[in-house]
Amino acid sequence: MGYTHPIQYVCWHNVFGGVTNSGWRIRIFATRLDEPLDLSLNRMTASLYPRYLQTALDDTIGPAMGSYHRLEENTRSNKMHDELAIGVVNGTRPLYESSGLGPDLAVVTSEELDELWVLAASVFSKKKVLRRISRLELLAMWDYAGKIWYKGMSKSDVKHLLIYRLMSPPAKILTAICFTAFQQLLQRILPATIMYTITAAKDDTSADQMAGLMELKGIQRAKAALADDAGVELSYWALPNETPEQTKARHLLRVFAHLWWVYNLAREAYAWLKANGNLPRDKEAIDDCIRRAAGSDYWDWHRGSRLFFWRFPTECGWQADARDGVEFWHLCDPPKGLHFQNIPPSCREAELQLRAKVFQLKFRWYLEEGTPDLVTPRFSVEKVADEQGKVLDIRCVWDAKRNGLNDTLWAPSFSLPTTRSAEDLVVKWLLIPVGDYLRQGSPPQDYSQDQDLMIKDFQYDLDVAQQFNNYQMHKKERHSHGVRYISTRNDGSMEPQTFLQCSVLNFGCVCSPYIATQGQERIMELCEGDPSDPLNPFQYHECWLNLPASRNYDPSMPRVILLRTDGEKATRRVTFVDDIHGSSRGRDAGPAREASRVLAGGMNYLGNQDAARKRGPPTLIPRPWNGFMTHTDTPYPVKGTTAKKWNRGRAGLDWVWQQLEIPGSVTDPIEYIKSLQNWEVRIDTAELRRVAGLWIHLTETYKEGRCFLKGFFNALEAFRIDRDLDGWRLQVSMDECQKLEDSDASRHEALAEYPALTRVTYQLVLHVSALRKLFDSPTPRVVPIRPTEKHKLRYACGDASAEGFADAVQYPDLVIDERDGLWLPEMADKSSNLREALNIANKLKSDIIAGRHDGCEVWQATDNAVWSTVCNKGMSSVRHLFDLLVDIKVLCHQHQVFYNCFHISGERMIATGIDGMSRGDKDSGIALGYDLRDFLPLDVGAFDYPDNQLEDWCRGWMLEDYTQPKTPLEWFNEAHKPGVHIIAPPPAAAIYALEEIAKGRHKRPQYVTYVILIPRILYQEEWRGKFQKEVDVWFPLLTGKFWPNSAYEPLM
């Protein structure tokens, strides 16, 4: 087969987007070429945006060091190809200007390549610096940029590679010619029927559909708290249309069943006592347990409860802790004194309610005779109010801070579940089990079918009655927990007082929450039983990781899902102190009812009170859990908060705004404040801390507002002389404010050691303004928990250099929407952070407005830490960026966009090809057709990286303690047991693994040790706080011998 007559083109590098004046003749030989090719269609915006030498240079290099270098401007050298030179250095070396073109490197000798000089921009100087052009920069000038590709190569190898590259035309010429030629050849050779354009999947779901459905149904006002004397709702246990005779018979059966239970409990307990040595401390505890059981009835523990310790395992000291309690952690000896007086309530009626609470404690044997040497004062907080706001019940709180006891104690930190934990309990309606749905690639579901055919999440709630009082206070601690017991006289005579001491944990001691929640988690583990037992309602046998950047990622499902043997999502629960919330899949409520029965029965079996008065049937629209609601009565689950909490939150923002005295007509509060002379406003600290604590709760539900809370805590912490305006230790401050909301703290508690007034900062004004704009609805916002379908997913990546920018969005069908270009001259002088952020923000904003991301989850990667920080923490000294962020947050709400911005290393950005695109290079990464997900390893664990030597590294210092890393399935059970466990989750699953680590450490603090290895991706955005809270020692392992260079980010 012969060739057609060769076609010759003259190609100048700078015309094709290059930065040198090199010119080449290209000849094309082809068969079946009847017409000449049109190569005027140059790639990479070259014809519109000519580039110059600086775009190939590294602006992080400073001036040349060493001996003095003599510069002679407007002088030419006779030794080199230097018609573009603006001068010479040291008499013979040509000097080039970075704002012009570079020389034709193909005619430069190998010795002369190391002596090319340039006046270049540098981050280390406001003026251009004089220096040599490095070999990596020479490669970039020849369109082979990307320092990561040459990592590990010696200087000699780089030079040899450079010399070989210079023997052929620059890469931009080759790629542009080949791309255009091959594209035209395909159009001429292949039939037109197979040439088509791939388009993104259409999204027909209305952005307001889910909220509209729920609002039409209406959300009932519900309260999770009930009065302590509320009755049991017997209809839950009754038959449909049960007759009075049946009800009476059921009551008699319950009476006899309770008597039989007490009799057999005593037989079992004393038989165990006899078999275990009949020790006095065991006998004393068993006698106490039996007398309390005898004083109970079928529904309630009238004389209080005590854990049936002999039913606990002896491992890890669980049995001894259940019998005796846990000793407190003392920093020094506790104070002494019986002079501390109770904090008087607002009226005599409230005082009598408090006394009734104290009498109830004594009646239940939670207070005992003794000789305390320190009395703890008490105060009241509202617990239940009616529709008119009248207080129906109160909580008695013991102020162990007021008498100085808490200052002498220390307690370990512990984790509580978040709203995300509750969100992960529910998924959308399906016709098939969750496991089958995921294995089949998330096929579309027909929601027009009968609802009874759909598998749904039925949710159930349990409560632990007298939660802190379920656990014994160690006898060594009781002398410091005296209680003033007052005998009431209503005739005006003196009311006698005596002193008792607590025998159980009280609400107010700094150690009580840790010990009580530890005991509750241990009880939950025993109640849930063996997860491998197929008859266990809490059984599971597989852990499915559904992580972003994985090939089968489905954003409409949770990231980590436990599956049963039948493929259905496992029944799970979360416990927030004394509130237990769970979910079970089924076409009816049967599985959820069985799960709640097993938990409640297991709790009572161990002497842990189940509050039957708070129990109700499993439902698709449960009552609030920690102020948070998830409803599954529509095909796609939605979430929201209570009207009371929403209104309190908005009222708190309005209160702060009123203190600022900014007129309502003002559109820019900061400019208005700056126009006033000596403007300074100070507001009540206690109220500000309570507002901040409330908004921590609200932004657990509405996460888009969390980044605007930093202004509150920076202002609150600014009074400390050892902290700058940006604050320090803010996570601790946030945790303390959250506790104020959890405990309905008084003003005295809210003020704590803070000054009475807090100075308002500009940042606080901006953040309050943003929250008011974002949450301007008069009714609680109802939002979807996740996108509705698998295809509602976008991956984005953006980067900007001093000269240009590039941004790409990849759709589920692998179509990439990419834009690149050059900045206007006035932007070149702006900061790199501003350019990077503007590039990403403007593209994202325009795409959202155009409706391209409606209802979608967007994962935005950036190597600019500033924009990531702005998005996740609301921090920015550039007002324009902050306003952009607020606009984006509002747009994301309006279009139901789930936006996730995360930071990657600069080297990873180079690997994606986006960095090169911002400089006009399209010869790497996604520009060559690679999948963007390949460069975003959110789903890859440390041991899954190729060429890692982590096992050798771990064995080198762990020695005989080394074990194989735990699998995701083992995170939830085996990793809680005694031993040394290696946990190496993918970054997108890190928060789940760390939560399980927290549970393991909480339940067995002296018996489990964890070695955690996580690539540092999503670090700042998702798991840094949990990671640093759970570990004792941590450090980054940089790339090198054990952690491969291809990982780019260090290993934490």
Side-chain angles (χ1 to χ4, degrees):
M1 182 179 293
Y3 292 98
T4 61
H5 189 275
I7 304 173
Q8 178 174 291
Y9 294 91
V10 177
C11 302
W12 294 99
H13 190 198
N14 62 309
V15 175
F16 280 74
V19 298
T20 74
N21 69 340
S22 180
W24 293 76
R25 287 184 175 88
I26 304 295
R27 290 187 178 186
I28 299 178
F29 297 83
T31 61
R32 300 177 60 183
L33 190 61
D34 300 328
E35 299 178 5
L37 299 174
D38 179 12
L39 300 184
S40 61
L41 303 174
N42 298 326
R43 295 181 65 209
M44 301 171 289
T45 65
S47 58
L48 296 178
Y49 303 104
R51 300 180 183 272
Y52 45 94
L53 182 57
Q54 182 65 52
T55 61
L57 302 179
D58 186 351
D59 61 0
T60 64
I61 300 178
M65 304 297 291
S67 60
Y68 173 75
H69 302 287
R70 188 176 74 256
L71 169 62
E72 300 176 23
E73 296 184 355
N74 301 320
T75 302
R76 291 182 177 271
S77 168
N78 297 322
K79 295 183 179 181
M80 302 185 71
H81 183 76
D82 58 357
E83 63 271 10
L84 294 175
I86 62 169
V88 295
V89 179
N90 298 335
T92 59
R93 309 306 182 188
L95 173 68
Y96 299 94
E97 170 59 57
S98 62
S99 59
L101 293 177
D104 184 357
L105 301 180
V107 301
V108 178
T109 66
S110 60
E111 292 77 14
E112 296 167 341
L113 285 174
D114 291 330
E115 292 297 336
L116 297 178
W117 288 71
V118 67
L119 279 175
S122 172
V123 296
F124 299 106
S125 174
K126 293 183 179 180
K127 297 181 180 180
K128 291 185 177 181
V129 300
L130 175 67
R131 63 177 179 85
R132 290 183 178 89
I133 302 177
S134 71
R135 292 172 182 173
L136 293 182
E137 290 174 321
L138 292 174
L139 282 165
M141 290 169 61
W142 216 243
D143 307 327
Y144 293 101
K147 56 187 176 182
I148 60 171
W149 312 124
Y150 314 112
K151 204 169 185 179
M153 295 178 62
S154 66
K155 293 182 179 180
S156 176
D157 290 340
V158 172
K159 184 170 183 178
H160 282 99
L161 178 63
L162 172 62
I163 292 172
Y164 284 121
R165 289 272 170 89
L166 294 179
M167 293 179 181
S168 61
K172 286 185 179 178
I173 294 179
L174 292 177
T175 54
I177 293 294
C178 293
F179 178 85
T180 307
F182 293 159
Q183 190 175 45
Q184 294 185 36
L185 286 173
L186 283 174
Q187 293 172 350
R188 298 181 188 187
I189 296 172
L190 296 180
T193 54
I194 66 172
M195 300 292 294
Y196 63 94
T197 302
I198 302 176
T199 57
K202 290 189 176 181
D203 185 352
D204 297 324
T205 304
S206 168
D208 296 326
Q209 182 179 5
M210 296 315 303
L213 288 173
M214 194 151 186
E215 289 170 355
L216 288 173
K217 174 184 66 66
I219 304 174
Q220 293 184 345
R221 182 175 182 272
K223 295 185 72 67
L226 293 174
D228 289 343
D229 57 355
V232 176
E233 181 55 59
L234 296 179
S235 62
Y236 175 54
W237 288 270
L239 296 172
N241 303 316
E242 186 172 285
T243 64
E245 291 76 13
Q246 290 174 317
T247 302
K248 184 176 180 180
R250 188 185 299 277
H251 172 70
L252 291 175
L253 285 173
R254 285 171 178 154
V255 171
F256 285 114
H258 176 260
L259 292 174
W260 177 88
W261 171 74
V262 173
Y263 171 75
N264 281 278
L265 180 70
R267 285 186 58 190
E268 174 195 326
Y270 289 114
W272 179 91
L273 179 65
K274 183 178 180 181
N276 286 272
N278 206 15
L279 299 177
R281 59 184 179 184
D282 288 337
K283 185 178 186 308
E284 178 187 356
I286 286 177
D287 289 343
D288 191 24
C289 289
I290 299 305
R291 69 169 179 169
R292 293 174 185 275
S296 67
D297 62 20
Y298 190 87
W299 298 111
D300 205 354
W301 301 73
H302 299 292
R303 301 307 299 268
S305 64
R306 181 169 179 173
L307 297 182
F308 300 152
F309 67 92
W310 63 91
R311 289 176 169 174
F312 281 74
T314 57
E315 61 141 354
C316 305
W318 284 21
Q319 190 177 95
D321 289 347
R323 180 193 61 206
D324 304 328
V326 178
E327 291 188 48
F328 293 173
W329 299 269
H330 292 268
L331 300 174
C332 59
D333 292 336
K336 297 182 180 181
L338 301 178
H339 59 282
F340 296 100
Q341 300 295 319
N342 294 329
I343 302 172
S346 57
C347 59
R348 174 72 174 177
E349 180 183 356
E351 171 65 22
L352 293 178
Q353 281 186 302
L354 281 176
R355 293 185 185 180
K357 295 283 185 182
V358 176
F359 171 78
Q360 194 174 53
L361 293 176
K362 181 182 178 184
F363 181 74
R364 291 172 173 166
W365 296 307
Y366 294 152
L367 298 178
E368 63 182 13
E369 300 291 336
T371 55
D373 51 27
L374 178 66
V375 67
T376 304
R378 57 167 167 79
F379 64 91
S380 64
V381 295
E382 172 190 337
K383 187 176 181 182
V384 179
D386 62 13
E387 298 291 340
Q388 288 73 40
K390 181 181 178 181
V391 177
L392 302 178
D393 196 13
I394 58 176
R395 177 183 290 118
C396 182
V397 181
W398 304 97
D399 194 352
K401 187 173 185 178
R402 186 183 181 91
N403 65 3
L405 177 62
N406 279 349
D407 292 335
T408 69
L409 298 174
W410 173 85
S413 62
F414 64 96
S415 296
L416 291 172
T418 64
T419 57
R420 184 197 50 74
S421 306
E423 291 173 13
D424 286 343
L425 295 177
V426 299
V427 300
K428 61 186 180 182
W429 295 3
L430 296 173
L431 290 166
I432 56 179
V434 169
D436 296 342
Y437 172 79
L438 292 171
R439 291 186 185 94
Q440 295 175 21
S442 305
Q445 302 294 293
D446 182 7
Y447 291 112
S448 64
Q449 297 192 32
D450 186 353
Q451 293 187 9
D452 292 338
L453 298 176
M454 295 289 178
I455 305 175
K456 315 175 187 69
D457 278 290
F458 287 86
Q459 301 172 73
Y460 58 88
D461 289 282
L462 300 173
D463 282 84
V464 184
Q466 305 164 36
Q467 211 267 355
F468 282 21
N469 301 150
N470 276 264
Y471 305 96
Q472 292 291 294
M473 181 181 293
H474 200 279
K475 287 189 175 182
K476 292 182 179 179
E477 313 295 343
R478 296 179 185 181
H479 66 94
S480 296
H481 293 265
V483 171
R484 193 183 302 275
Y485 185 78
I486 305 175
S487 300
T488 301
R489 300 285 186 268
N490 290 321
D491 56 3
S493 60
M494 180 174 292
E495 298 176 325
Q497 301 181 12
T498 56
F499 292 101
L500 305 175
Q501 64 185 26
C502 292
S503 62
V504 294
L505 298 179
N506 57 34
F507 194 85
C509 175
V510 71
C511 296
S512 295
Y514 177 86
I515 297 173
T517 52
Q518 179 189 66
Q520 197 61 44
E521 279 301 318
R522 290 174 173 178
I523 289 170
M524 288 294 100
E525 179 180 310
L526 297 175
C527 292
E528 290 177 344
D530 181 4
S532 64
D533 181 2
L535 300 179
N536 181 1
F538 292 93
Q539 63 97 0
Y540 54 85
H541 88 119
E542 180 184 358
C543 181
W544 185 284
L545 294 185
N546 175 50
L547 303 180
S550 62
R551 289 299 184 266
N552 293 317
Y553 174 56
D554 183 350
S556 69
M557 305 296 285
R559 292 192 211 170
V560 179
I561 308 171
L562 292 176
L563 300 176
R564 302 193 310 230
T565 52
D566 61 0
E568 191 50 84
K569 182 174 69 67
T571 297
R572 301 292 290 167
R573 58 87 202 160
V574 290
T575 304
F576 190 90
V577 188
D578 60 346
D579 293 332
I580 303 170
H581 179 77
S583 172
S584 187
R585 297 280 286 178
R587 290 185 170 87
D588 56 40
R593 184 187 294 268
E594 175 64 12
S596 64
R597 184 195 67 79
V598 168
L599 281 185
M603 290 163 57
N604 286 321
Y605 175 80
L606 296 171
N608 186 226
Q609 296 187 39
D610 162 51
R613 59 193 171 82
K614 291 189 176 183
R615 191 135 44 110
T619 177
L620 301 174
I621 48 174
R623 70 171 189 246
W625 177 79
N626 194 30
F628 169 75
M629 294 185 294
T630 54
H631 285 188
T632 55
D633 57 332
T634 55
Y636 305 107
V638 294
K639 62 181 179 179
T641 190
T642 61
K644 179 180 179 180
K645 183 158 284 192
W646 178 271
N647 292 334
R648 284 179 56 217
R650 295 186 70 239
L653 295 179
D654 292 341
W655 173 81
V656 175
W657 201 253
Q658 290 170 4
Q659 309 306 305
L660 305 180
E661 299 180 352
I662 298 177
S665 58
V666 172
T667 58
D668 190 333
I670 298 299
E671 289 301 321
Y672 172 78
I673 290 172
K674 289 181 178 179
S675 67
L676 302 177
Q677 293 184 350
N678 301 322
W679 182 88
E680 182 173 312
V681 173
R682 295 180 181 270
I683 60 179
D684 184 70
T685 299
E687 187 62 27
L688 185 62
R689 294 190 75 211
R690 284 192 286 215
V691 172
L694 175 58
W695 274 99
I696 290 177
H697 270 260
L698 283 170
T699 53
E700 283 284 334
T701 305
Y702 308 105
K703 296 178 176 59
E704 64 270 25
R706 176 56 66 96
C707 62
F708 301 122
L709 297 187
K710 192 172 181 66
F712 285 87
F713 298 102
N714 278 338
L716 286 166
E717 300 299 319
F719 77 96
R720 303 185 190 276
I721 59 175
D722 58 344
R723 304 183 189 185
D724 57 21
L725 185 61
D726 198 36
W728 173 70
R729 216 170 55 102
L730 292 186
Q731 186 59 50
V732 176
S733 179
M734 294 178 70
D735 292 344
E736 291 173 350
C737 286
Q738 186 171 7
K739 290 178 183 177
L740 299 179
E741 173 64 17
D742 291 338
S743 61
D744 297 324
S746 65
R747 174 181 172 78
H748 170 72
E749 286 184 300
L751 189 58
E753 79 277 10
Y754 287 78
L757 298 176
T758 293
R759 184 175 66 86
V760 174
T761 62
Y762 288 168
Q763 188 185 51
L764 177 60
V765 175
L766 280 176
H767 285 192
V768 171
S769 175
L771 288 172
R772 295 179 80 232
K773 184 176 182 179
L774 197 56
F775 299 98
D776 60 348
S777 171
T779 57
R781 182 183 296 171
V782 179
V783 296
I785 292 178
R786 303 178 196 94
T788 56
E789 302 296 340
K790 181 179 180 179
H791 69 268
K792 295 187 177 181
L793 176 64
R794 312 285 188 261
Y795 295 101
C797 198
D799 195 27
S801 61
E803 302 77 25
F805 58 87
D807 194 283
V809 179
Q810 180 170 297
Y811 290 83
D813 49 16
L814 303 185
V815 168
I816 291 182
D817 174 23
E818 185 266 334
R819 69 166 189 173
D820 61 75
L822 295 177
W823 296 110
L824 295 174
E826 54 267 26
M827 283 300 298
D829 297 330
K830 303 294 184 180
S831 70
S832 61
N833 290 331
L834 178 62
R835 289 193 298 268
E836 296 255 15
L838 284 177
N839 172 46
I840 295 173
N842 289 331
K843 176 74 165 72
L844 176 66
K845 187 175 177 181
S846 62
D847 283 351
I848 294 176
I849 292 174
R852 298 188 185 100
H853 302 330
D854 285 1
C856 294
E857 185 173 278
V858 178
W859 288 90
Q860 173 79 59
T862 175
D863 64 348
N864 183 258
V866 171
W867 178 246
S868 174
T869 303
V870 170
C871 290
N872 293 285
K873 299 185 181 299
M875 297 165 53
S876 177
S877 58
V878 181
R879 177 67 186 282
H880 179 59
L881 286 186
F882 183 85
D883 292 340
L884 264 179
L885 175 65
V886 175
D887 291 342
I888 287 173
K889 293 284 186 178
V890 172
L891 287 171
C892 285
H893 161 61
Q894 294 171 349
H895 293 259
Q896 292 188 352
V897 177
F898 302 81
Y899 180 57
N900 302 279
C901 180
F902 64 100
H903 181 261
I904 60 176
S905 69
E907 293 183 342
R908 185 173 296 282
M909 183 63 72
I910 294 172
T912 66
I914 301 294
D915 178 85
M917 287 181 176
S918 71
R919 294 174 170 83
D921 299 326
K922 296 192 176 181
D923 55 1
S924 63
I926 63 173
L928 298 182
Y930 288 100
D931 193 328
L932 181 57
R933 294 173 294 183
D934 293 338
F935 305 100
L936 306 177
L938 305 178
D939 60 326
V940 182
F943 284 87
D944 298 324
Y945 273 77
D947 303 323
N948 80 81
Q949 303 297 320
L950 294 178
E951 181 173 343
D952 293 341
W953 179 67
C954 290
R955 287 184 183 276
W957 57 271
M958 293 181 67
L959 302 178
E960 67 275 4
D961 288 330
Y962 178 82
T963 57
Q964 287 298 316
K966 295 298 180 185
T967 65
L969 182 64
E970 292 173 329
W971 298 345
F972 295 88
N973 186 26
E974 293 299 319
H976 293 193
K977 296 179 179 179
V980 179
H981 308 300
I982 297 178
I983 309 293
I991 190 67
Y992 295 84
L994 289 168
E995 287 174 352
E996 294 307 312
I997 288 171
K999 291 179 184 177
R1001 294 181 69 237
H1002 198 184
K1003 290 185 288 188
R1004 298 175 177 89
Q1006 286 87 29
Y1007 299 92
V1008 291
T1009 301
Y1010 295 100
V1011 176
I1012 307 170
L1013 305 170
I1014 311 174
R1016 199 183 68 184
I1017 306 179
L1018 297 180
Y1019 177 63
Q1020 296 283 357
E1021 297 80 11
E1022 286 194 1
W1023 52 271
R1024 176 188 175 185
K1026 179 71 72 175
F1027 175 78
Q1028 295 186 357
K1029 185 177 289 186
E1030 295 303 329
V1031 300
D1032 299 310
V1033 178
W1034 64 272
F1035 59 90
L1037 178 64
L1038 303 180
T1039 56
K1041 179 178 179 181
F1042 299 106
W1043 184 234
N1045 291 323
S1046 59
Y1048 302 126
E1049 292 82 14
L1051 182 70
M1052 305 302 292

